[in-house]
């Protein structure tokens, strides 16, 4: 989908690209042969055995993690993926048929939250998991000037922020230390199975007390800070710390990523923390990185680990129903009517698909059904992927040669009021007139995504109205993308003319092509009432479900969303524990 404005540029660049393409053809042919070799190991269709120990519904990264752990435990494991390829929202694709050498990481775009435990257990490094830590946050301001913020360089942060406010520069190390202190509390919680709060059953009480005991070292001040973090808006929180609109705009971005809420909404401070506590394995708090080969390569690495452990993966294998017998999960029914049986079924789909469509309301407790019906799943995100003939030439930092400001987040979030206006437009039912964007240029490091001399830029943008998941809104999305591009063009005047190809993925396509209901990027909003023991429903946050034998591994469980694999690992652990010991078998109903 090239914009009209960029078609002329596309034609002009085509001639220049032709020579380069001849040389690339040989490389591409070699790569195609290699890909075909890898793909051969993925079974397609519904052929094969019909009885397994464990069946995984959905071959997104969480389903694949669950499969790898279950297979590693000795279970005969099958993954069923509806699409022609695995990965779900962690996918690398070539969206332009006339430019097959240009690949984009089509939905998710950066790594941070995958814990070292999973990387080590599944030996992902061996299977192609390779991260380039990304550079600083960069914002060029329409009124002139720019700012860079570094995840791990206090001295340079001070210099940068001083250009906008000396007071903010002095506050920055205290802010970083404050966040690091809270991350020490929140980080381990991500790997904690939430207890069944409110239940008086001895085992549940024991787990609640154990969690309280683990946090006995917390003092009054830390509890107060945690309370602030969980309840405040990112705007109010930043107002307490900083004065410069430029600094606050840059720091607010993580508070609204993927969220159906502007920076003035309570709870957005926590969203900022969720996106700030990750560590790509290099020990730098809050640092993010680019996977070589795009996010699809993360899923591919996990799939390889699953297969190496003995799991079978079938693509083009849509599941239509979870089979029940005597109230227990017994297997699945595929779209073609074939039945496959297993004593353990792990589903990694959005809660509505997993429970209301596949299990059926009549087979679930009424209050659980009501909780899933009330599950909030909006976000108004539009992903815009671009192929560029050259790097953006920012007025504030001139040049099209690769520079540090191209290597991190290239933001369009110049102030909190700017971000808030974008949200208010969407809440009032219009796509944002001036959208906000978290942009990245992975090809600053990764040479595998496009021909040499060209670049891929990924714009994660917000917001369009939340009900745009119900209709394609194709023309309006095109106009929205053009406005987004205009915003960048104001600060980098070569931007528009450098665009060779444009790929726009809106909420409707996210829902219909990828199963992201409502276009929500995490299978469910990260709002306070949907976190920890409430994710996806009270009483069922331990990766088990009201149906014995059915486990839940989607991003709609605790520690999701994001490409973190924790839901997949925890669901597999629960299933493995239950297989080993009947004493740990699920009791239903769990709420009491
Ligand atoms: C635009 C966008 C940007 C994002 N950016 C980031 C980012 O930069 N970093 C980050 O960490 N996270 C990011 N996320 C979030 C992250 O990608 C998701 O939280 C995560 O990938 C979800 O993984 P999952 O395995 O839980 O689910 P999914 O990836 O949704 O996988 C579910 C799988 O089930 C399959 N399926 C659906 N229905 C059926 C059926 N009936 N039968 C069989 N299979 C079925 C789907 O095709 C899919 O493959 C982003 C998401 C989006 C959409």
């Amino acid at each position: 989908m090239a914009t009209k404005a960029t078609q002329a540029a596309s034609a002009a660049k085509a001639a220049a690209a032709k020579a380069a393409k001849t040389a690339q053809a040989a490389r591409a042919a070699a790569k195609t042969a290699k890909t075909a070799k890898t793909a051969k190991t993925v079974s397609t269709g519904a052929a094969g055995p019909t009885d397994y120990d464990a069946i995984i519904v959905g071959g997104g990264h969480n389903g694949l993690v669950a499969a790898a752990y279950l297979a590693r435990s000795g279970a005969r494991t099958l993954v069923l993926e509806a699409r022609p390829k695995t990965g779900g929202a962690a996918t690398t694709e070539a969206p332009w048929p006339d430019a097959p050498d240009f690949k984009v990481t089509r939905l998710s775009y950066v790594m941070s939250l995958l814990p070292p435990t999973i990387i080590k257990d599944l030996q992902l490094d061996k299977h192609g998991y390779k991260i380039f830590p990304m550079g600083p946050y960069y914002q060029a301001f329409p009124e002139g000037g720019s700012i860079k913020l570094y995840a791990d360089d206090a001295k340079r942060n001070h210099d940068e922020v001083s250009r906008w406010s000396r007071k903010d520069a002095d506050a920055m190390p205290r802010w970083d230390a404050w966040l690091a202190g809270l991350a020490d509390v929140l980080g381990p919680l991500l790997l904690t199975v939430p207890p069944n709060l409110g239940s008086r059953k001895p085992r549940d009480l024991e787990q609640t007390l154990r969690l309280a005991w683990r946090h006995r070292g917390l003092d009054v001040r830390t509890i107060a800070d945690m309370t602030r973090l969980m309840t405040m808006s990112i705007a109010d929180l930043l107002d307490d710390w900083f004065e410069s609109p430029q600094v606050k705009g840059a720091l607010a971005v993580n508070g609204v990523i993927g969220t159906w809420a502007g920076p003035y909404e309570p709870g957005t401070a926590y969203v900022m923390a969720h996106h700030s506590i990750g560590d790509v394995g290099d020990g730098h708090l809050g640092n993010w990185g680019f996977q070589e080969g795009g996010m699809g390569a993360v899923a591919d690495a996990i799939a390889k680990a699953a297969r190496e452990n003995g799991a079978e993966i079938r693509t083009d294998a849509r599941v239509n129903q979870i089979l029940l017998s005597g109230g227990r999960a017994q297997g699945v029914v595929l779209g073609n009517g074939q039945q496959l049986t297993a004593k353990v079924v792990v589903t990694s789909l959005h809660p509505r698909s997993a429970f209301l469509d596949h299990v059926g309301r009549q087979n679930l407790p009424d209050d659980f059904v009501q909780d899933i019906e009330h599950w909030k799943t909006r976000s108004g995100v539009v992903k815009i992927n671009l192929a560029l003939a050259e790097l953006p030439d920012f007025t504030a930092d001139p040049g099209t040669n690769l520079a540090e400001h191209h290597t991190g987040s290239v933001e369009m979030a110049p102030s909190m009021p700017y971000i808030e206006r974008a949200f208010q437009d969407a809440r009032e039912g219009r796509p944002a007139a001036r959208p906000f964007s978290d942009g990245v240029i992975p090809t600053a490091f990764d040479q595998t995504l496009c021909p040499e001399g060209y670049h891929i830029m990924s714009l994660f943008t917000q917001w369009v109205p939340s009900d745009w998941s119900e209709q394609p809104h194709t023309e309006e999305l095109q106009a929205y993308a053009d406005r987004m591009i205009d915003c960048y063009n104001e600060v980098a005047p070569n931007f528009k003319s450098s665009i060779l190809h444009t790929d726009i993925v809106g909420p409707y396509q996210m829902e219909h092509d990828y199963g992201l209901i409502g276009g929500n990027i995490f299978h469910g909003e990260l709002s306070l009432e949907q976190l920890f023991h409430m994710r996806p429903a009270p009483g069922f946050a331990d990766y088990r479900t009201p149906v014995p034998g059915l486990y839940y591994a989607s991003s709609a469980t605790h520690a999701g969303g994001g490409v973190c694999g924790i839901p997949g690992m925890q669901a597999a652990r629960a299933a493995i524990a239950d297989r080993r010991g009947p004493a740990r078998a699920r009791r239903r109903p769990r709420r009491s």
Side-chain angles (χ1 to χ4, degrees):
M1 260 190 283
T3 58
K4 274 186 202 138
T6 59
Q7 275 164 356
S10 182
K13 298 288 172 194
K18 204 175 168 192
K21 271 191 182 144
T22 315
Q24 287 144 24
R27 253 191 296 152
K31 263 189 202 155
T32 311
K34 197 172 158 199
T35 314
K37 201 173 158 198
T38 319
K40 214 168 62 176
T41 59
V42 180
S43 311
T44 54
T50 57
D51 182 52
Y52 292 83
D53 295 325
I55 290 178
I56 317 293
V57 184
H61 86 285
N62 272 317
L64 294 169
V65 167
Y69 275 97
L70 274 157
R72 204 175 74 135
S73 77
R76 286 174 304 117
T77 303
L78 171 68
V79 178
L80 296 167
E81 166 56 46
R83 302 187 71 230
K85 67 196 285 272
T86 52
T91 178
T92 305
E93 297 175 23
W96 303 294
D98 53 336
D101 292 345
F102 287 83
K103 295 185 255 355
V104 301
T105 182
R106 205 165 188 213
L107 297 171
S108 59
Y109 51 108
V110 278
M111 287 300 293
S112 167
L113 296 162
L114 192 66
T117 317
I118 295 180
I119 298 170
K120 201 161 115 276
D121 285 352
L122 304 186
Q123 299 183 294
L124 295 185
D125 293 338
K126 187 179 101 182
H127 296 299
Y129 181 72
K130 179 180 169 189
I131 302 292
F132 302 103
M134 63 195 279
Y137 275 79
Y138 175 72
Q139 172 70 55
F141 298 103
E143 64 275 21
S146 67
I147 190 168
K148 292 191 210 79
L149 291 178
Y150 299 85
D152 54 2
D153 193 331
K155 163 81 180 70
R156 293 174 85 191
N157 260 354
H158 194 272
D159 294 347
E160 279 289 324
V161 176
S162 293
R163 289 162 52 195
W164 298 99
S165 159
R166 179 69 202 217
K167 188 168 163 262
D168 288 356
D170 292 342
M172 196 57 98
R174 292 196 301 278
W175 165 258
D176 284 340
W178 185 78
L179 266 187
L182 293 180
D184 285 347
V185 181
L186 281 174
L189 275 182
L190 285 183
L191 286 166
T192 300
V193 176
N196 190 11
L197 292 183
S199 163
R200 288 183 295 278
K201 287 186 175 157
R203 180 174 154 249
D204 293 331
L205 279 172
E206 183 198 315
Q207 284 181 347
T208 306
L209 289 172
R210 198 176 289 165
L211 183 67
W213 180 250
R214 241 178 52 205
H215 290 92
R216 66 193 179 283
L218 297 185
D219 57 13
V220 171
R221 173 59 50 188
T222 313
I223 298 277
D225 285 343
M226 284 294 292
T227 308
R228 290 197 176 100
L229 192 74
M230 300 307 289
T231 56
M232 286 177 80
S233 71
I234 184 64
D236 283 346
L237 184 66
L238 291 174
D239 281 344
D240 285 350
W241 284 84
F242 302 103
E243 61 177 14
S244 149
Q246 289 83 358
V247 173
K248 288 191 274 189
L251 291 173
V253 171
N254 275 346
V256 293
I257 289 282
T259 301
W260 182 247
Y264 294 91
E265 302 272 332
T268 46
Y270 170 76
V271 178
M272 178 275 300
H274 185 86
H275 289 103
S276 304
I277 57 182
D279 168 345
V280 291
D282 64 356
H284 298 307
L285 183 77
N287 211 354
W288 289 74
F290 301 113
Q291 161 70 36
E292 185 176 59
M295 298 294 276
V298 177
D300 288 348
I302 303 170
K304 281 182 194 151
R307 280 197 296 269
E308 191 178 77
N309 282 304
E312 182 189 336
I313 300 172
R314 294 190 203 174
T315 51
D316 291 310
R318 178 171 291 280
V319 169
N320 267 5
Q321 191 192 331
I322 307 278
L323 267 180
L324 304 181
S325 172
R328 280 194 64 90
Q330 286 294 320
V332 300
V333 184
L334 294 178
N336 64 5
Q338 188 186 14
Q339 295 194 1
L340 300 168
T341 53
K343 289 213 162 55
V344 166
V345 179
V346 179
T347 177
S348 62
L349 273 46
H350 186 282
R352 279 186 210 159
S353 315
F355 298 110
L356 304 185
D357 298 345
H358 287 179
V359 177
R361 287 174 168 77
Q362 69 284 7
N363 298 310
L364 293 162
D366 289 345
D367 53 355
F368 180 82
V369 168
Q370 202 175 62
D371 286 333
I372 301 299
E373 281 172 344
H374 292 168
W375 183 249
K376 299 282 182 290
T377 186
R378 304 156 293 187
S379 73
V381 167
V382 178
K383 185 78 192 304
I384 303 170
N385 300 301
L386 304 170
L388 302 181
E390 60 183 5
L391 287 166
D393 183 2
F394 290 97
T395 309
D397 299 273
T400 55
N401 288 334
L402 182 64
E404 194 182 32
H405 61 272
H406 295 119
T407 63
S409 299
V410 185
E411 309 290 23
M412 185 46 63
S415 70
M416 281 197 295
Y418 177 104
I419 304 172
E420 176 67 11
R421 185 66 257 158
F423 177 62
Q424 289 304 335
D425 284 353
R427 176 167 266 178
E428 287 160 17
R430 302 180 303 276
R434 292 176 67 83
F436 115 83
S437 160
D438 184 38
V440 291
I441 307 175
T443 45
F445 301 96
D446 184 356
Q447 309 303 315
T448 68
L449 294 175
C450 69
E452 207 180 322
Y454 296 87
H455 283 280
I456 296 296
M457 187 164 185
S458 145
L459 306 180
F460 178 94
T461 77
Q462 289 170 194
W463 284 263
V464 295
S466 59
D467 63 3
W468 277 28
S469 56
E470 292 164 19
Q471 297 290 330
H473 292 277
T474 311
E475 282 171 21
E476 289 152 291
L477 276 176
Q478 182 69 59
Y480 168 94
D482 288 345
R483 290 199 298 279
M484 184 77 259
I485 288 163
D486 284 342
C487 291
Y488 275 104
N489 209 62
E490 283 175 23
V491 294
N494 74 331
F495 190 60
K496 205 168 179 168
S497 62
S498 73
I499 297 172
L500 299 173
H501 305 282
T502 307
D503 168 53
I504 307 167
V505 188
Y508 181 85
Q509 195 176 355
M510 287 184 204
E511 173 163 331
H512 287 82
D513 290 2
Y514 296 92
L516 300 165
I517 309 290
N520 185 277
I521 71 166
F522 297 136
H523 287 194
E525 296 171 34
L526 287 181
S527 46
L528 284 185
E529 81 285 6
Q530 298 194 160
L531 293 179
F532 201 55
H533 64 293
M534 304 289 284
R535 198 164 180 87
F540 298 99
D542 66 350
Y543 309 91
R544 295 175 174 91
T545 73
V547 178
L550 178 65
Y551 300 83
Y552 195 37
S554 111
S555 285
T557 59
H558 172 59
V563 182
C564 69
I566 299 172
M569 177 185 72
Q570 299 285 33
R573 280 182 176 170
I576 292 164
D578 291 353
R579 278 184 93 214
R580 286 185 181 150
R584 297 225 345 112
R586 285 279 293 112
R587 309 170 303 271
R588 68 182 285 219
R590 184 133 196 275
R591 292 167 172 164
S592 60

